[in-house]
Amino acid sequence: MKDEKTAQILKYVFIVIAVTELLSHAMEWNWLNQFTKPLLMPVLLVYFRKGLKGPVNLSFILGVFALLFSWFGDVALMYVHQADWFFLLGLGAFAIAQSFYFFSFKHARSSEGKQTPLLQHIFNIFPFAVFAIGLLYTLWPFLDGLKIPVTIYATLICTMALGAVYRNGRTNTESFNQVVFGAILFILSDSLIAINKFYAPMENASIWIMGTYILAQWNIVNGLQKDYNE
């Protein structure tokens, strides 16, 4: 009961921090952003733990590491204006986070399920492959020395989203839907980063990028909680 109350409090704390983070971008208050952005993932991580009703298992632990490396990525990307290598550092941190999320999804509460037909595999993979290839084709002339890192990252994040899709039938419907929605938002957020950085600067880019990113992490965490809290 105590953890449930704490989780409810942390839920509203996270919402306040998230709204303040978006406000800092809208008002261009960089000083405020220095406080709000590094707080997002730690608060979400504690909320993740306090909101669990079941025992801690491997899926949860992997999810925790995904949030930790997301935090590293968040902090690194705050300093890209100081040196280009901060972008690579952030990209690497998020690549590791995507890998941890993939394996977290792989260890869904139930490992039992029917064998997936080949046609279903194609149906699952096709939209992500088309999106990744289309985005890379558009960005390719502008990536210069980052072609390989960006290609690897695009592959990893789409693989992470596929991991979310393959939870179907191995967890409850609400958990499945929320994690898939979060994974797709994660792809959208990172695609906006790439488009804004390499292709064409967008108006209010930071608001759209952070808004989709915050919703992505929030939905993934809440979806994973529902995997245990059925």
Side-chain angles (χ1 to χ4, degrees):
M1 184 65 71
K2 182 179 178 181
D3 280 352
E4 287 184 25
K5 290 181 179 179
T6 303
Q8 282 298 311
I9 294 171
L10 288 168
K11 172 183 176 181
Y12 293 112
V13 170
F14 180 79
I15 291 171
V16 169
I17 295 172
V19 171
T20 307
E21 163 69 10
L22 296 178
L23 181 64
S24 74
H25 290 286
M27 303 302 294
E28 298 184 353
W29 292 339
N30 293 331
W31 60 270
L32 183 58
N33 174 254
Q34 299 296 310
F35 291 97
T36 54
K37 190 174 183 181
L39 285 174
L40 286 167
M41 291 305 104
V43 172
L44 190 59
L45 194 156
V46 179
Y47 166 77
F48 187 22
R49 177 64 187 95
K50 293 298 183 180
L52 284 179
K53 294 179 182 176
V56 169
N57 63 10
L58 182 57
S59 180
F60 169 78
I61 293 170
L62 292 167
V64 167
F65 276 104
L67 289 172
L68 286 173
F69 278 95
S70 294
W71 179 81
F72 291 143
D74 284 345
V75 174
L77 293 179
M78 290 172 64
Y79 298 99
V80 291
H81 61 283
Q82 295 186 8
D84 290 339
W85 62 268
F86 278 109
F87 179 78
L88 278 175
L89 186 62
L91 192 70
F94 275 112
I96 296 171
Q98 305 306 345
S99 300
F100 275 118
Y101 267 142
F102 171 79
F103 287 107
S104 176
F105 301 160
K106 188 177 177 63
H107 288 276
R109 185 168 45 76
S110 170
S111 59
E112 299 177 359
K114 297 179 181 178
Q115 187 174 359
T116 305
L118 176 61
L119 187 62
Q120 185 64 46
H121 282 302
I122 295 172
F123 180 79
N124 291 340
I125 295 170
F126 183 74
F128 295 107
V130 169
F131 180 83
I133 292 170
L135 183 64
L136 287 170
Y137 178 81
T138 302
L139 299 177
W140 200 255
F142 311 99
L143 294 177
D144 299 325
L146 293 175
K147 286 183 173 67
I148 292 176
V150 171
T151 300
I152 292 172
Y153 185 78
T155 303
L156 285 172
I157 195 169
C158 286
T159 302
M160 177 276 292
L162 272 172
V165 170
Y166 277 102
R167 292 174 76 245
N168 190 24
R170 299 174 59 207
T171 186
N172 62 76
T173 302
E174 191 175 3
S175 173
F176 169 76
N177 289 340
Q178 203 159 8
V179 170
V180 168
F181 182 56
I184 291 172
L185 284 174
F186 219 136
I187 291 177
L188 176 58
S189 178
D190 285 348
S191 299
L192 292 175
I193 291 176
I195 292 169
N196 184 66
K197 181 176 178 62
F198 300 113
Y199 186 70
M202 300 181 299
E203 188 175 356
N204 298 319
S206 59
I207 298 175
W208 289 106
I209 290 167
M210 286 307 300
T212 50
Y213 170 71
I214 290 167
L215 286 173
Q217 295 280 25
W218 175 255
N219 277 278
I220 289 173
V221 163
N222 278 276
L224 287 176
Q225 280 185 341
K226 293 179 177 66
D227 192 27
Y228 315 110
N229 297 349
E230 187 181 35

